[in-house]
Amino acid sequence: MNTYRLFLVAFFILCLASGADQKTASAEDWRSADHSKFDASRVIHISPSVVHVRQRVILSEEALSKLRKDRAHDYSNYSHTINMKRINCRKRTIGAAGSTDYDTRGGVIQSFDEKTKLNNIQMLPVVRCSDGDAFIQAVCEYVKKVPAKKLKREGSRPFQPHSCSP
């Protein structure tokens, strides 16, 4: 009987360990946001209407051509860019907190990190119906559906999506 119990305990531990590996392997949850994606698994609530989010984009051939001409960094094996963005859903503004360009092997080509305090990120209004507006709309609709636990909502207006069709 002891061998049977030992087997069950070992099997249970093995199942837990294999489940933990699967969870860490799929930690990112990239959601479409027009011409880019955002990582829904890492949305950070700064306040009821302000979030910090990772954005995944692929630079255009025109932008890559300019970067390749600069020759300060090797963009021959460019894969994608991860931008750190702060979004104010109520005011419909966006700010850049950092950016990292990656190659096809996952190595960093170039990285920019806003050295100012996170509270001093320059927030800019977004043009209605632009790519930035579509990104804000996708993130804010997601945040509206999945609110942070016990997040204070005092003094904030809810996010109101809009349509870009005439």
Side-chain angles (χ1 to χ4, degrees), residues 72-118:
H73 297 67
D74 181 13
Y75 276 83
S76 60
N77 292 316
Y78 170 80
S79 172
H80 64 280
T81 300
I82 301 292
N83 296 316
M84 291 300 299
K85 299 286 188 177
R86 175 166 290 178
I87 296 174
N88 186 318
C89 293
R90 185 174 47 85
K91 294 181 180 179
R92 304 194 73 77
T93 57
I94 192 166
S99 179
T100 303
D101 298 329
Y102 292 93
D103 64 21
T104 53
R105 292 187 207 118
V108 174
I109 298 172
Q110 180 173 226
S111 184
F112 146 74
D113 185 15
E114 188 64 45
K115 297 296 181 191
T116 61
K117 293 182 180 178
L118 288 178

Side-chain angles (χ1 to χ4, degrees), residues 12-162:
F12 181 73
I13 291 172
L14 182 63
C15 288
L16 285 176
S18 66
D21 289 343
Q22 290 174 355
K23 191 171 186 177
T24 56
S26 62
E28 295 174 335
D29 182 8
W30 294 103
R31 308 271 176 121
S32 291
D34 202 30
H35 293 105
S36 65
K37 296 180 181 220
F38 72 95
D39 186 357
S41 68
R42 295 186 184 165
V43 173
I44 300 168
H45 291 266
I46 306 298
S47 74
S49 63
V50 178
V51 294
H52 207 73
V53 65
R54 291 174 11 145
Q55 176 190 37
R56 181 184 174 115
V57 296
I58 296 176
L59 297 177
S60 69
E61 280 303 316
E62 181 182 339
L64 284 173
S65 177
K66 289 178 183 178
L67 290 168
R68 288 177 180 137
K69 286 179 184 175
D70 181 27
R71 296 188 189 262
H73 297 67
D74 181 13
Y75 276 83
S76 60
N77 292 316
Y78 170 80
S79 172
H80 64 280
T81 300
I82 301 292
N83 296 316
M84 291 300 299
K85 299 286 188 177
R86 175 166 290 178
I87 296 174
N88 186 318
C89 293
R90 185 174 47 85
K91 294 181 180 179
R92 304 194 73 77
T93 57
I94 192 166
S99 179
T100 303
D101 298 329
Y102 292 93
D103 64 21
T104 53
R105 292 187 207 118
V108 174
I109 298 172
Q110 180 173 226
S111 184
F112 146 74
D113 185 15
E114 188 64 45
K115 297 296 181 191
T116 61
K117 293 182 180 178
L118 288 178
N119 292 335
N120 294 330
I121 293 173
Q122 182 181 10
M123 301 296 287
L124 301 171
V126 175
V127 175
R128 188 175 169 96
C129 298
S130 66
D131 286 345
D133 187 43
F135 181 72
I136 286 177
Q137 183 117 350
V139 171
C140 294
E141 284 178 0
Y142 172 78
V143 169
K144 181 181 177 183
K145 291 177 187 173
V146 185
K149 293 180 182 178
K150 300 179 184 177
L151 189 61
K152 292 182 182 178
R153 300 258 179 223
E154 305 170 305
S156 70
R157 294 189 318 243
F159 168 71
Q160 297 295 323
H162 63 268

